[in-house]
Amino acid sequence: MDWRGWSELLVVVALVARMITAGYFRHPGKIFSWPMFSNGCSIVIELHGTRDGEREPINIFDLFPTGDTLGLTTTDLQSVCDYLMTTYDSVDGEGRMMFAEGNVPLKVVNGHVVV
């Protein structure tokens, strides 16, 4: 095999490795990487933030690019609440976590997710 054959083989191996890592592993904060399979649960929640004694609704879609809230898990929601606690004195809310087996009530109390 000459140098062209080896270089083609190296390129193919690199592309296959990239497809495997991009398809099967979730890389937080990466723009051009997504999991091959979607999460099995979704969260619908209404959040309110308290700042200087004033309570105001929080639009979660303002925090993410379009579509990133689909498949939000409790761990992701806790990360969002941790981020919001840097801006608000308190973050509270109520909602539901839905998955294939049914749904359960979900609360956020003072920035902590409670299932």
Side-chain angles (χ1 to χ4, degrees), residues 34-92:
W34 54 89
M36 184 177 280
F37 305 104
S38 65
N39 293 327
C41 76
S42 183
I43 293 176
V44 177
I45 193 159
E46 184 176 329
L47 295 174
H48 291 86
T50 305
R51 184 180 352 190
D52 299 328
E54 303 262 338
R55 185 175 173 177
E56 58 187 63
I58 298 172
N59 186 357
I60 198 166
F61 292 104
D62 289 341
L63 303 173
F64 297 105
T66 305
D68 282 354
T69 57
L70 300 175
L72 190 68
T73 63
T74 54
T75 306
D76 298 331
L77 181 60
Q78 184 61 55
S79 297
V80 169
C81 290
D82 292 341
Y83 169 74
L84 289 171
M85 287 297 288
T86 62
T87 307
Y88 294 97
D89 299 330
S90 176
V91 175
D92 300 301

Short mmCIF file of all heavy atoms in Angstrom, two decimals, residues 34-92:
data_model
loop_
_atom_site.label_atom_id
_atom_site.label_comp_id
_atom_site.label_asym_id
_atom_site.label_seq_id
_atom_site.Cartn_x
_atom_site.Cartn_y
_atom_site.Cartn_z
N TRP A 34 -24.34 16.52 18.99
CA TRP A 34 -25.64 16.17 19.57
C TRP A 34 -25.69 14.67 19.78
O TRP A 34 -25.01 13.92 19.09
CB TRP A 34 -26.78 16.62 18.66
CG TRP A 34 -26.65 16.11 17.27
CD1 TRP A 34 -27.11 14.95 16.76
CD2 TRP A 34 -25.97 16.75 16.19
NE1 TRP A 34 -26.78 14.81 15.46
CE2 TRP A 34 -26.08 15.91 15.07
CE3 TRP A 34 -25.28 17.96 16.06
CZ2 TRP A 34 -25.52 16.24 13.84
CZ3 TRP A 34 -24.74 18.28 14.84
CH2 TRP A 34 -24.86 17.41 13.74
N PRO A 35 -26.49 14.21 20.74
CA PRO A 35 -26.58 12.76 20.96
C PRO A 35 -27.39 12.09 19.85
O PRO A 35 -28.29 12.69 19.29
CB PRO A 35 -27.30 12.65 22.30
CG PRO A 35 -28.05 13.92 22.43
CD PRO A 35 -27.26 14.97 21.71
N MET A 36 -27.03 10.87 19.54
CA MET A 36 -27.73 10.15 18.49
C MET A 36 -29.15 9.80 18.93
O MET A 36 -30.08 9.80 18.13
CB MET A 36 -26.97 8.88 18.12
CG MET A 36 -27.57 8.12 16.96
SD MET A 36 -26.60 6.69 16.54
CE MET A 36 -25.33 7.46 15.59
N PHE A 37 -29.33 9.52 20.20
CA PHE A 37 -30.64 9.16 20.72
C PHE A 37 -31.12 10.26 21.66
O PHE A 37 -30.36 10.77 22.46
CB PHE A 37 -30.56 7.83 21.45
CG PHE A 37 -29.99 6.74 20.60
CD1 PHE A 37 -28.69 6.31 20.79
CD2 PHE A 37 -30.74 6.16 19.60
CE1 PHE A 37 -28.16 5.32 20.00
CE2 PHE A 37 -30.22 5.17 18.80
CZ PHE A 37 -28.93 4.74 19.00
N SER A 38 -32.39 10.60 21.60
CA SER A 38 -32.91 11.67 22.46
C SER A 38 -33.20 11.14 23.85
O SER A 38 -33.31 9.93 24.07
CB SER A 38 -34.18 12.26 21.85
OG SER A 38 -35.20 11.29 21.84
N ASN A 39 -33.33 12.06 24.80
CA ASN A 39 -33.66 11.67 26.17
C ASN A 39 -35.09 11.15 26.22
O ASN A 39 -35.94 11.58 25.47
CB ASN A 39 -33.52 12.88 27.10
CG ASN A 39 -32.08 13.31 27.23
OD1 ASN A 39 -31.19 12.50 27.17
ND2 ASN A 39 -31.88 14.60 27.41
N GLY A 40 -35.35 10.27 27.17
CA GLY A 40 -36.66 9.68 27.30
C GLY A 40 -37.62 10.47 28.17
O GLY A 40 -38.70 10.00 28.45
N CYS A 41 -37.23 11.65 28.61
CA CYS A 41 -38.14 12.44 29.43
C CYS A 41 -38.12 13.89 28.97
O CYS A 41 -37.22 14.32 28.26
CB CYS A 41 -37.79 12.33 30.91
SG CYS A 41 -36.36 13.28 31.40
N SER A 42 -39.14 14.60 29.39
CA SER A 42 -39.25 16.01 29.08
C SER A 42 -39.87 16.71 30.27
O SER A 42 -40.67 16.13 31.00
CB SER A 42 -40.11 16.21 27.83
OG SER A 42 -40.16 17.56 27.48
N ILE A 43 -39.51 17.97 30.46
CA ILE A 43 -40.01 18.73 31.60
C ILE A 43 -40.75 19.96 31.10
O ILE A 43 -40.27 20.67 30.23
CB ILE A 43 -38.85 19.15 32.52
CG1 ILE A 43 -38.24 17.91 33.18
CG2 ILE A 43 -39.31 20.15 33.56
CD1 ILE A 43 -37.05 18.18 34.02
N VAL A 44 -41.93 20.17 31.66
CA VAL A 44 -42.70 21.39 31.43
C VAL A 44 -42.82 22.07 32.78
O VAL A 44 -43.38 21.48 33.71
CB VAL A 44 -44.09 21.08 30.83
CG1 VAL A 44 -44.89 22.34 30.67
CG2 VAL A 44 -43.96 20.34 29.52
N ILE A 45 -42.29 23.28 32.88
CA ILE A 45 -42.27 23.94 34.19
C ILE A 45 -42.44 25.45 34.01
O ILE A 45 -42.05 26.01 32.99
CB ILE A 45 -40.96 23.62 34.95
CG1 ILE A 45 -41.07 24.04 36.40
CG2 ILE A 45 -39.76 24.24 34.26
CD1 ILE A 45 -40.09 23.34 37.30
N GLU A 46 -43.06 26.05 35.00
CA GLU A 46 -43.22 27.50 35.03
C GLU A 46 -42.37 28.03 36.18
O GLU A 46 -42.58 27.70 37.34
CB GLU A 46 -44.69 27.86 35.26
CG GLU A 46 -44.96 29.32 35.20
CD GLU A 46 -46.45 29.63 35.34
OE1 GLU A 46 -47.27 28.80 34.90
OE2 GLU A 46 -46.77 30.68 35.90
N LEU A 47 -41.36 28.83 35.84
CA LEU A 47 -40.44 29.35 36.84
C LEU A 47 -40.71 30.82 37.14
O LEU A 47 -41.10 31.58 36.25
CB LEU A 47 -38.99 29.21 36.35
CG LEU A 47 -38.46 27.79 36.17
CD1 LEU A 47 -37.08 27.82 35.56
CD2 LEU A 47 -38.45 27.05 37.48
N HIS A 48 -40.47 31.19 38.40
CA HIS A 48 -40.56 32.59 38.83
C HIS A 48 -39.30 32.92 39.62
O HIS A 48 -38.83 32.12 40.42
CB HIS A 48 -41.78 32.82 39.73
CG HIS A 48 -43.06 32.71 39.00
ND1 HIS A 48 -43.71 31.51 38.79
CD2 HIS A 48 -43.83 33.65 38.39
CE1 HIS A 48 -44.81 31.71 38.10
NE2 HIS A 48 -44.91 33.00 37.84
N GLY A 49 -38.78 34.10 39.36
CA GLY A 49 -37.60 34.57 40.08
C GLY A 49 -37.95 35.74 40.97
O GLY A 49 -38.77 36.58 40.60
N THR A 50 -37.33 35.79 42.13
CA THR A 50 -37.53 36.90 43.06
C THR A 50 -36.23 37.69 43.13
O THR A 50 -35.16 37.13 43.40
CB THR A 50 -37.91 36.38 44.45
OG1 THR A 50 -39.05 35.54 44.34
CG2 THR A 50 -38.22 37.53 45.39
N ARG A 51 -36.36 38.99 42.86
CA ARG A 51 -35.20 39.87 42.91
C ARG A 51 -35.62 41.17 43.60
O ARG A 51 -36.57 41.81 43.17
CB ARG A 51 -34.72 40.16 41.48
CG ARG A 51 -33.49 40.97 41.40
CD ARG A 51 -33.03 41.24 40.00
NE ARG A 51 -33.75 40.51 38.97
CZ ARG A 51 -33.40 40.45 37.71
NH1 ARG A 51 -32.34 41.09 37.30
NH2 ARG A 51 -34.10 39.80 36.83
N ASP A 52 -34.93 41.53 44.66
CA ASP A 52 -35.24 42.75 45.43
C ASP A 52 -36.69 42.76 45.91
O ASP A 52 -37.37 43.79 45.87
CB ASP A 52 -34.95 44.00 44.62
CG ASP A 52 -33.48 44.10 44.22
OD1 ASP A 52 -32.63 43.62 45.00
OD2 ASP A 52 -33.18 44.64 43.14
N GLY A 53 -37.20 41.60 46.30
CA GLY A 53 -38.57 41.50 46.80
C GLY A 53 -39.64 41.47 45.73
O GLY A 53 -40.82 41.33 46.03
N GLU A 54 -39.28 41.59 44.47
CA GLU A 54 -40.24 41.57 43.35
C GLU A 54 -40.20 40.19 42.68
O GLU A 54 -39.13 39.68 42.34
CB GLU A 54 -39.87 42.63 42.31
CG GLU A 54 -39.81 44.02 42.86
CD GLU A 54 -41.07 44.79 42.59
OE1 GLU A 54 -41.79 44.42 41.66
OE2 GLU A 54 -41.31 45.75 43.33
N ARG A 55 -41.37 39.60 42.49
CA ARG A 55 -41.46 38.29 41.84
C ARG A 55 -41.82 38.50 40.39
O ARG A 55 -42.76 39.21 40.06
CB ARG A 55 -42.52 37.44 42.53
CG ARG A 55 -42.58 36.05 42.00
CD ARG A 55 -43.56 35.21 42.76
NE ARG A 55 -43.67 33.93 42.08
CZ ARG A 55 -44.38 32.94 42.49
NH1 ARG A 55 -45.09 33.06 43.57
NH2 ARG A 55 -44.44 31.82 41.82
N GLU A 56 -41.07 37.84 39.49
CA GLU A 56 -41.32 37.98 38.05
C GLU A 56 -41.20 36.62 37.37
O GLU A 56 -40.42 35.77 37.80
CB GLU A 56 -40.35 38.98 37.42
CG GLU A 56 -38.88 38.63 37.60
CD GLU A 56 -37.96 39.72 37.12
OE1 GLU A 56 -38.00 40.83 37.68
OE2 GLU A 56 -37.21 39.45 36.16
N PRO A 57 -41.99 36.40 36.31
CA PRO A 57 -41.89 35.12 35.59
C PRO A 57 -40.59 35.04 34.80
O PRO A 57 -40.06 36.05 34.34
CB PRO A 57 -43.10 35.15 34.66
CG PRO A 57 -43.46 36.58 34.51
CD PRO A 57 -43.02 37.27 35.77
N ILE A 58 -40.09 33.82 34.66
CA ILE A 58 -38.86 33.57 33.90
C ILE A 58 -39.25 32.79 32.64
O ILE A 58 -39.87 31.73 32.72
CB ILE A 58 -37.85 32.76 34.72
CG1 ILE A 58 -37.43 33.54 35.96
CG2 ILE A 58 -36.64 32.40 33.87
CD1 ILE A 58 -36.59 32.74 36.92
N ASN A 59 -38.89 33.32 31.50
CA ASN A 59 -39.12 32.64 30.23
C ASN A 59 -37.89 31.79 29.93
O ASN A 59 -36.84 32.31 29.57
CB ASN A 59 -39.38 33.65 29.11
CG ASN A 59 -39.76 32.98 27.81
OD1 ASN A 59 -39.78 31.76 27.72
ND2 ASN A 59 -40.07 33.77 26.82
N ILE A 60 -38.03 30.48 30.07
CA ILE A 60 -36.89 29.58 29.90
C ILE A 60 -36.39 29.56 28.45
O ILE A 60 -35.23 29.29 28.18
CB ILE A 60 -37.24 28.16 30.40
CG1 ILE A 60 -35.98 27.35 30.63
CG2 ILE A 60 -38.18 27.46 29.45
CD1 ILE A 60 -36.19 26.11 31.42
N PHE A 61 -37.25 29.92 27.49
CA PHE A 61 -36.84 29.93 26.09
C PHE A 61 -35.88 31.08 25.80
O PHE A 61 -35.20 31.06 24.78
CB PHE A 61 -38.06 30.02 25.17
CG PHE A 61 -38.90 28.78 25.22
CD1 PHE A 61 -40.09 28.76 25.91
CD2 PHE A 61 -38.48 27.62 24.59
CE1 PHE A 61 -40.86 27.62 25.97
CE2 PHE A 61 -39.24 26.47 24.64
CZ PHE A 61 -40.44 26.47 25.33
N ASP A 62 -35.81 32.09 26.67
CA ASP A 62 -34.83 33.16 26.51
C ASP A 62 -33.42 32.70 26.84
O ASP A 62 -32.44 33.33 26.44
CB ASP A 62 -35.18 34.36 27.40
CG ASP A 62 -36.41 35.09 26.91
OD1 ASP A 62 -36.78 34.93 25.72
OD2 ASP A 62 -37.02 35.82 27.73
N LEU A 63 -33.30 31.59 27.57
CA LEU A 63 -31.99 31.11 28.02
C LEU A 63 -31.32 30.18 27.02
O LEU A 63 -30.10 30.03 27.05
CB LEU A 63 -32.13 30.37 29.35
CG LEU A 63 -32.75 31.17 30.50
CD1 LEU A 63 -32.97 30.26 31.69
CD2 LEU A 63 -31.87 32.33 30.85
N PHE A 64 -32.11 29.54 26.15
CA PHE A 64 -31.58 28.53 25.25
C PHE A 64 -31.86 28.89 23.80
O PHE A 64 -32.86 29.51 23.50
CB PHE A 64 -32.23 27.16 25.50
CG PHE A 64 -31.96 26.61 26.86
CD1 PHE A 64 -32.95 26.63 27.83
CD2 PHE A 64 -30.73 26.09 27.16
CE1 PHE A 64 -32.71 26.12 29.08
CE2 PHE A 64 -30.49 25.58 28.42
CZ PHE A 64 -31.48 25.59 29.38
N PRO A 65 -31.00 28.43 22.89
CA PRO A 65 -31.37 28.53 21.48
C PRO A 65 -32.61 27.67 21.21
O PRO A 65 -32.92 26.77 21.98
CB PRO A 65 -30.16 27.95 20.74
CG PRO A 65 -29.05 28.00 21.72
CD PRO A 65 -29.66 27.92 23.08
N THR A 66 -33.31 27.93 20.16
CA THR A 66 -34.55 27.22 19.85
C THR A 66 -34.32 25.71 19.83
O THR A 66 -33.39 25.23 19.20
CB THR A 66 -35.08 27.66 18.48
OG1 THR A 66 -35.22 29.07 18.51
CG2 THR A 66 -36.41 27.02 18.16
N GLY A 67 -35.18 24.99 20.54
CA GLY A 67 -35.15 23.53 20.52
C GLY A 67 -34.31 22.89 21.60
O GLY A 67 -34.41 21.70 21.83
N ASP A 68 -33.44 23.63 22.28
CA ASP A 68 -32.59 23.02 23.29
C ASP A 68 -33.34 22.65 24.56
O ASP A 68 -32.80 21.97 25.40
CB ASP A 68 -31.43 23.96 23.65
CG ASP A 68 -30.34 23.93 22.60
OD1 ASP A 68 -30.45 23.11 21.67
OD2 ASP A 68 -29.39 24.71 22.73
N THR A 69 -34.57 23.13 24.72
CA THR A 69 -35.34 22.77 25.91
C THR A 69 -36.05 21.44 25.74
O THR A 69 -36.58 20.91 26.70
CB THR A 69 -36.37 23.86 26.25
OG1 THR A 69 -37.22 24.05 25.12
CG2 THR A 69 -35.69 25.16 26.61
N LEU A 70 -36.05 20.89 24.55
CA LEU A 70 -36.67 19.57 24.33
C LEU A 70 -35.77 18.52 24.96
O LEU A 70 -34.56 18.51 24.77
CB LEU A 70 -36.84 19.29 22.84
CG LEU A 70 -37.71 20.29 22.09
CD1 LEU A 70 -37.70 19.97 20.62
CD2 LEU A 70 -39.12 20.30 22.63
N GLY A 71 -36.36 17.65 25.72
CA GLY A 71 -35.59 16.60 26.37
C GLY A 71 -34.82 17.09 27.59
O GLY A 71 -33.83 16.51 27.97
N LEU A 72 -35.28 18.16 28.21
CA LEU A 72 -34.65 18.70 29.41
C LEU A 72 -34.84 17.71 30.56
O LEU A 72 -35.95 17.25 30.83
CB LEU A 72 -35.31 20.04 29.75
CG LEU A 72 -34.67 20.91 30.81
CD1 LEU A 72 -33.32 21.42 30.30
CD2 LEU A 72 -35.56 22.08 31.13
N THR A 73 -33.76 17.35 31.24
CA THR A 73 -33.83 16.42 32.36
C THR A 73 -33.72 17.20 33.67
O THR A 73 -33.46 18.40 33.68
CB THR A 73 -32.70 15.39 32.29
OG1 THR A 73 -31.45 16.07 32.39
CG2 THR A 73 -32.76 14.60 30.99
N THR A 74 -33.89 16.51 34.80
CA THR A 74 -33.80 17.18 36.09
C THR A 74 -32.38 17.72 36.33
O THR A 74 -32.22 18.77 36.95
CB THR A 74 -34.20 16.24 37.23
OG1 THR A 74 -33.43 15.05 37.16
CG2 THR A 74 -35.68 15.91 37.16
N THR A 75 -31.38 17.02 35.86
CA THR A 75 -30.00 17.51 35.99
C THR A 75 -29.80 18.79 35.20
O THR A 75 -29.18 19.74 35.69
CB THR A 75 -29.01 16.43 35.51
OG1 THR A 75 -29.27 15.21 36.20
CG2 THR A 75 -27.58 16.85 35.76
N ASP A 76 -30.34 18.83 33.98
CA ASP A 76 -30.26 20.04 33.17
C ASP A 76 -31.03 21.18 33.82
O ASP A 76 -30.57 22.33 33.82
CB ASP A 76 -30.82 19.79 31.77
CG ASP A 76 -30.04 18.74 30.99
OD1 ASP A 76 -28.83 18.61 31.26
OD2 ASP A 76 -30.64 18.07 30.15
N LEU A 77 -32.21 20.88 34.37
CA LEU A 77 -33.01 21.90 35.03
C LEU A 77 -32.28 22.44 36.26
O LEU A 77 -32.32 23.65 36.52
CB LEU A 77 -34.38 21.34 35.43
CG LEU A 77 -35.33 22.32 36.13
CD1 LEU A 77 -35.63 23.52 35.24
CD2 LEU A 77 -36.61 21.61 36.52
N GLN A 78 -31.59 21.59 37.00
CA GLN A 78 -30.82 22.06 38.15
C GLN A 78 -29.69 22.98 37.69
O GLN A 78 -29.41 23.99 38.34
CB GLN A 78 -30.26 20.88 38.95
CG GLN A 78 -29.52 21.30 40.20
CD GLN A 78 -30.41 22.05 41.18
OE1 GLN A 78 -31.45 21.56 41.58
NE2 GLN A 78 -30.01 23.25 41.56
N SER A 79 -29.06 22.68 36.57
CA SER A 79 -28.02 23.56 36.03
C SER A 79 -28.59 24.91 35.65
O SER A 79 -27.97 25.95 35.89
CB SER A 79 -27.36 22.91 34.81
OG SER A 79 -26.72 21.73 35.16
N VAL A 80 -29.81 24.91 35.06
CA VAL A 80 -30.48 26.16 34.72
C VAL A 80 -30.78 26.96 35.98
O VAL A 80 -30.55 28.17 36.04
CB VAL A 80 -31.77 25.89 33.92
CG1 VAL A 80 -32.61 27.14 33.78
CG2 VAL A 80 -31.45 25.33 32.56
N CYS A 81 -31.27 26.29 37.01
CA CYS A 81 -31.59 26.97 38.28
C CYS A 81 -30.33 27.53 38.93
O CYS A 81 -30.35 28.63 39.49
CB CYS A 81 -32.31 26.02 39.22
SG CYS A 81 -33.97 25.63 38.68
N ASP A 82 -29.23 26.77 38.87
CA ASP A 82 -27.97 27.28 39.41
C ASP A 82 -27.54 28.55 38.69
O ASP A 82 -27.07 29.50 39.31
CB ASP A 82 -26.87 26.21 39.31
CG ASP A 82 -27.11 25.03 40.22
OD1 ASP A 82 -27.91 25.16 41.18
OD2 ASP A 82 -26.52 23.96 39.96
N TYR A 83 -27.70 28.56 37.37
CA TYR A 83 -27.37 29.75 36.59
C TYR A 83 -28.29 30.92 36.95
O TYR A 83 -27.84 32.05 37.13
CB TYR A 83 -27.48 29.44 35.09
CG TYR A 83 -27.40 30.66 34.23
CD1 TYR A 83 -26.20 31.31 34.03
CD2 TYR A 83 -28.54 31.17 33.61
CE1 TYR A 83 -26.13 32.45 33.24
CE2 TYR A 83 -28.48 32.29 32.83
CZ TYR A 83 -27.28 32.93 32.64
OH TYR A 83 -27.21 34.06 31.87
N LEU A 84 -29.59 30.64 37.10
CA LEU A 84 -30.55 31.70 37.43
C LEU A 84 -30.33 32.26 38.84
O LEU A 84 -30.62 33.43 39.09
CB LEU A 84 -31.98 31.19 37.29
CG LEU A 84 -32.45 30.94 35.86
CD1 LEU A 84 -33.80 30.23 35.87
CD2 LEU A 84 -32.52 32.24 35.09
N MET A 85 -29.82 31.45 39.74
CA MET A 85 -29.57 31.92 41.11
C MET A 85 -28.45 32.95 41.15
O MET A 85 -28.31 33.65 42.15
CB MET A 85 -29.26 30.74 42.03
CG MET A 85 -30.46 29.88 42.37
SD MET A 85 -31.75 30.74 43.27
CE MET A 85 -30.98 30.92 44.87
N THR A 86 -27.66 33.07 40.09
CA THR A 86 -26.65 34.12 40.04
C THR A 86 -27.30 35.47 39.76
O THR A 86 -26.72 36.51 40.06
CB THR A 86 -25.59 33.83 38.96
OG1 THR A 86 -26.21 33.79 37.69
CG2 THR A 86 -24.88 32.53 39.25
N THR A 87 -28.52 35.47 39.21
CA THR A 87 -29.24 36.70 38.86
C THR A 87 -30.34 37.01 39.87
O THR A 87 -30.58 38.18 40.17
CB THR A 87 -29.86 36.56 37.46
OG1 THR A 87 -28.84 36.19 36.54
CG2 THR A 87 -30.48 37.86 37.01
N TYR A 88 -31.02 35.99 40.36
CA TYR A 88 -32.17 36.16 41.24
C TYR A 88 -31.81 35.76 42.67
O TYR A 88 -30.93 34.93 42.89
CB TYR A 88 -33.35 35.31 40.76
CG TYR A 88 -33.90 35.74 39.43
CD1 TYR A 88 -33.52 35.11 38.26
CD2 TYR A 88 -34.81 36.79 39.34
CE1 TYR A 88 -34.02 35.51 37.04
CE2 TYR A 88 -35.33 37.19 38.12
CZ TYR A 88 -34.92 36.55 36.98
OH TYR A 88 -35.42 36.96 35.77
N ASP A 89 -32.54 36.32 43.62
CA ASP A 89 -32.38 35.94 45.03
C ASP A 89 -32.96 34.56 45.28
O ASP A 89 -32.46 33.80 46.11
CB ASP A 89 -33.06 36.96 45.95
CG ASP A 89 -32.47 38.35 45.80
OD1 ASP A 89 -31.27 38.45 45.48
OD2 ASP A 89 -33.22 39.33 45.99
N SER A 90 -34.06 34.24 44.58
CA SER A 90 -34.73 32.96 44.74
C SER A 90 -35.39 32.58 43.41
O SER A 90 -35.88 33.45 42.68
CB SER A 90 -35.79 33.05 45.84
OG SER A 90 -36.51 31.83 45.92
N VAL A 91 -35.39 31.30 43.10
CA VAL A 91 -36.06 30.78 41.90
C VAL A 91 -37.00 29.67 42.37
O VAL A 91 -36.59 28.73 43.04
CB VAL A 91 -35.05 30.22 40.87
CG1 VAL A 91 -35.77 29.59 39.70
CG2 VAL A 91 -34.11 31.31 40.39
N ASP A 92 -38.28 29.81 42.02
CA ASP A 92 -39.30 28.83 42.42
C ASP A 92 -40.14 28.48 41.20
O ASP A 92 -40.23 29.26 40.24
CB ASP A 92 -40.20 29.41 43.51
CG ASP A 92 -39.41 29.80 44.75
OD1 ASP A 92 -38.76 28.91 45.31
OD2 ASP A 92 -39.43 30.99 45.11
#
